[in-house]
Each structure stands twice: as C-alpha cells, then as structure tokens.
Amino acid sequence: MSSPSMTTDDGGTNHLSVGAATVEVAVPPGTRMSGFAARVEPSTGVHDPLTVRALVIDNFCWVTVDVCGLDGPTCRTIADRIPFRDGYAVIGATHTHAGPCAMRGGLGECDPEIIEAISEAAAVAVKDASNSREPCRAYYESFQGLGIAKNRRHPERAIDPSLQVVAFKRDDGTIRTWLVQYPCHPVVLGADNRLISGDYPAFVRSHLEREAPGSTAVFLTGAAGDVNTGHSAESSYSQASSQHRTFTEAQRIGGLLGKAAARARTSGKALGSVTRAAAAPVELCFEVLDARSPAESAAHWTKLMAGAVPGQRALLQTWIDWAARDQLLRDMKWRGTVTVLRLGGLLVVALPGEPFLECAERIQEAFDSPVLVAAYSNGCPGYFPTSDEYDHGGYEVTDAHRYYGMPAPFKRGSAEQLVETAVGLGRELL
C-alpha cells in the first residue's frame, strides 16, 4: 500500500481549503448512448447537460462525469492531464444510463470525440476548482428511511441504505459545496429514452444548488451493483416505455433526495480538518462461467434472433459481437486502484466498477467512524457480486461482462478482495 499524504489541523481552526467547479460538455444529437444494449438508436437531444464536476479538498481531487462508465486508461489519461499533481485524484462516473458512450471497449460504441471533450472539460474543471479554493469547514450527516432504493435481485429483501452528505461551509455559514452519496442505480430513465440526462442525480444536484445559490453539488453513486428503484436488470432488455421510468419520476426521486440532503446545512456534525489519503493497486481475475464456448454460444444466440423482439435482438447482437472478439481477450486479469480519503472523522472510499451494496456495508462495519463508499471510480470494468450471489446467477453475474467487453465475469471473491483492500487502507489512515 502507498504511503499516505497528510495535512494537519490549521491552528485549531478546522479549516479546509475547498474549491469546486462545473463544466458542461456539448453532446450533439445523433450521439450514441450508453447504458442499455437494447437501445441502438442514437440520442435525439439533451434534456439536461452532461457535466464534469471537480471537487478539490486540500491536496485531494475528485472528478465526476455524467456518463455510464469510464475505462481505466481514460481515467489515467484524465488524471495525467488535470493541473493537479501534488496529491491524489479520483476520476469517476455517476453511472447515468442516459449519457453518451464514453468507455472504450465496452458499454456501447464509443465516440472518441466525446472522450476528448470530457478530458478537456475535466482539466478546466479541476483548474477552476483549484483556483477557487477558500477556507471551509466540513459537516457530515446521513439520512435513512427514504424508501427509494430496492434490491433488484432479491425484491423480498428490504434495504435502507443511507443518503450521506458532506456540507462544506464558509465562516459566514453559507454553503460552498455539497458532496452527496447514495447507492442506487441512476437508471430511472429506461431504454426508450433518447435524451441525454444525468438521471435522478442531476435533479439532486439542481435541488441543492437552488437551496444554496452559488454552491456546487457533487454527486457520487455508491455501491449500487444490485440496487435500483425497483425493477430487475433484465427488464431493461426491452425498449418498451414504463410509467415508472420517466423524467417526472427521476425528478421526483431527485427532489426527495435533494430535500433530505439539504437538511445537512443545519444538522451536520463537524468533521475536523485532518486530510490524509492513500491508494493501493488491485489485480483481479476473471473466471469463465459459460458452459458453452463463445462459438457455441454465438450459434445459439443467432438461432434466438429469429423470434426476438427488437430490444432482445439488439442485446443478442451485442453478445454475438462479443463472442467474435473474445479470442482477442487473452488477459484474464484486470488491474485497478482503490483509493481512500480521510476527511476528519469520515473515511471516503473510492471503489472501481459496480460493487454490490454489501461491499459497502462490510467496509462500514469495519470502522466505528462513518464511512462513505463511492463506486464507478478510476475505471468501470463490470460488476462485483459478493461470493454468496454467484449461485443465484442473473445478469450481473453471468451476462453483464459481454456488454462491458470483458472476457468473463470477475472470479468469485473479487468483491471481497476490494473490501479487504479498502479496509486496510482505512486502518492505515486512522
């Protein structure tokens, strides 16, 4: 594990140097979208803009992008280009399923111009955030009982994950920046939607920024691999519209979360000004779970194409295309990074990919102090189910790797490896 960077309390004032900025990225009509293999038609316009947001706290930087995922090399390219080289940087995606394709090699056919535009916007956002830093104090609060998140693999299991909020305040009590985390898939909008949008997180942010004019809200999607608002992953194979997957519903959910989060401006607990960060590499293995060879599977899927509806045909074609390129994917390992920031009495964990909610819960259970876990960070290679979920199967375990362009699912135990790495880093920092 790496040696942590550190800043100490500033004369007992509990001040942090905090800046944030937002840069919009133009997405022209006709751009291919990501998030649904069943959606093959391109975008027709923009409902709310694709934003790149940067939050700088002392010598730590977090960049979030309104896309479904970013590949590891793109994250590293952005990290190398941003004007921030004295500390740690995390490059993450909000995981909206209403954004443009922005991940090379997976989640749809990517437009290189979009990646370049995102990279340029990230550099500008970080520069603006760094230049706008000012003394702030951090306050933390969490809220439960919101009734939004559901376990999409086991609907019978009740869950109640926390909405976590850090409010960065100036000495006059005004809000400079909000940092908000909630573990729920930004997939309220369905495969029938063709307008670019940040999904419900966009409405969370806009609510908070209206609540505190002049503030910047940064949303981090938590460990939401098995969590959404109440539909199965397989239901997204269809392009059919649903009354529960509309902009009205995304705005309603975003408003509920935003209203709850806004309470942190008066109820939050002071965190202190100690900031330390550490990162560690992870090497994770893939494991073939298919009984058929790629060629046999492709032949089977080709037969199914004849009687499939358009959405299923698009999905099957994605799988057939994956089987054709599978021979080129010989490396059965993925290499990434886990990063942890200590922010006073709070640990902020950045995990790659789509870990299941239980991963966050296990990390949180390892500490007496609060822990905020964000996913989709520094690369999004696929799902990380906990070991007990492999026997249950389902899209996240057996199928999603094809849409992600990976040779196979991650090997059982990979999620636990991420948890172990995060816990080790957290203990190093406390």
Side-chain angles (χ1 to χ4, degrees):
M1 294 183 181
S2 62
S3 299
S5 61
M6 179 176 181
T7 61
T8 57
D9 288 317
D10 182 13
T13 64
N14 290 335
H15 279 134
L16 299 162
S17 180
V18 179
T22 301
V23 176
E24 295 183 2
V25 175
V27 182
T31 300
R32 297 183 68 87
M33 299 177 71
S34 185
F36 300 100
R39 180 177 53 199
V40 296
E41 298 87 355
S43 66
T44 57
V46 175
H47 182 276
D48 47 274
L50 186 163
T51 66
V52 178
R53 293 166 186 252
L55 171 64
V56 175
I57 309 168
D58 290 343
N59 61 344
F60 190 94
C61 174
W62 204 306
V63 175
T64 66
V65 185
D66 291 336
V67 293
C68 195
L70 296 167
D71 58 276
T74 294
C75 292
R76 289 189 289 273
T77 297
I78 292 174
D80 288 340
R81 290 176 61 172
I82 62 178
F84 188 88
R85 294 182 173 83
D86 296 329
Y88 289 84
V90 172
I91 315 298
T94 61
H95 199 55
T96 173
H97 286 48
C101 297
M103 194 169 111
R104 292 175 295 186
L107 298 180
E109 188 175 338
C110 178
D111 184 349
E113 293 183 1
I114 290 292
I115 292 183
E116 180 60 24
I118 288 171
S119 299
E120 291 177 359
V124 173
V126 174
K127 181 178 180 180
D128 291 348
S130 297
N131 291 340
S132 69
R133 278 181 283 187
E134 54 188 303
C136 293
R137 291 185 174 93
Y139 298 84
Y140 170 80
E141 185 62 279
S142 65
F143 306 93
Q144 289 185 289
L146 300 171
I148 293 171
K150 305 289 192 300
N151 185 318
R152 72 183 190 184
R153 289 168 55 82
H154 303 281
E156 74 284 359
R157 298 180 185 176
I159 60 173
D160 186 18
S162 296
L163 168 70
Q164 295 175 285
V165 186
V166 180
F168 296 93
K169 297 183 186 180
R170 304 177 181 91
D171 283 345
D172 63 4
T174 59
I175 302 290
R176 173 66 183 90
T177 303
W178 309 87
L179 180 64
V180 183
Q181 182 277 147
Y182 191 63
C184 185
H185 251 77
V187 68
V188 176
L189 302 172
D192 60 314
N193 169 58
R194 294 172 61 189
L195 294 177
I196 298 297
S197 173
D199 208 281
Y200 80 83
F203 295 105
V204 177
R205 296 184 311 219
S206 61
H207 183 100
L208 291 171
E209 290 171 350
R210 288 194 304 270
E211 180 76 16
S215 66
T216 300
V218 176
F219 185 93
L220 307 179
T221 304
D226 55 345
V227 181
N228 63 18
T229 55
H231 49 86
S232 68
E234 288 79 5
S235 68
S236 296
Y237 291 177
S238 170
Q239 293 175 299
S241 61
S242 167
Q243 62 178 339
H244 301 297
R245 302 185 71 177
T246 63
F247 281 104
T248 299
E249 181 66 1
Q251 184 172 14
R252 183 188 73 83
I253 290 171
L256 287 173
L257 291 169
K259 183 178 180 180
R263 290 155 48 194
R265 70 183 305 172
T266 57
S267 65
K269 177 183 177 182
L271 288 175
S273 65
V274 174
T275 58
R276 305 179 69 196
V282 289
E283 184 175 87
L284 305 172
C285 297
F286 298 107
E287 181 179 9
V288 175
L289 300 180
D290 290 332
R292 300 184 179 98
S293 69
E296 292 170 335
S297 294
H300 173 69
W301 297 326
T302 300
K303 290 180 180 179
L304 295 178
M305 287 277 276
V309 298
Q312 288 178 314
R313 286 180 62 85
L315 177 73
L316 290 168
Q317 188 60 57
T318 296
W319 291 358
I320 292 169
D321 294 342
W322 167 85
R325 62 182 284 213
D326 181 63
Q327 60 181 326
L328 302 176
L329 298 171
R330 297 298 187 187
D331 190 354
M332 292 295 284
K333 292 183 179 180
W334 182 84
R335 298 158 187 87
T337 305
V338 173
T339 305
V340 180
L341 166 69
R342 176 185 172 188
L343 182 58
L346 173 71
L347 290 177
V348 183
V349 177
L351 299 180
E354 302 203 55
F356 279 21
L357 179 61
E358 189 176 340
C359 295
E361 292 173 341
R362 291 181 184 179
I363 296 170
Q364 291 163 340
E365 290 168 358
F367 300 94
D368 295 328
S369 54
V371 180
L372 184 159
V373 178
Y376 313 98
S377 302
N378 289 333
C380 192
Y383 284 88
F384 290 105
T386 50
S387 292
D388 58 329
E389 286 291 329
Y390 278 70
D391 291 340
H392 185 71
Y395 170 78
E396 299 88 348
V397 175
T398 60
D399 298 324
H401 64 281
R402 302 185 193 106
Y403 189 41
Y404 269 104
M406 293 298 169
F410 280 101
K411 186 177 181 179
R412 189 189 301 245
S414 295
E416 287 75 11
Q417 190 174 338
L418 290 178
V419 169
E420 181 181 358
T421 302
V423 170
L425 288 171
R427 289 172 175 162
E428 178 182 337
L429 293 173
L430 290 178

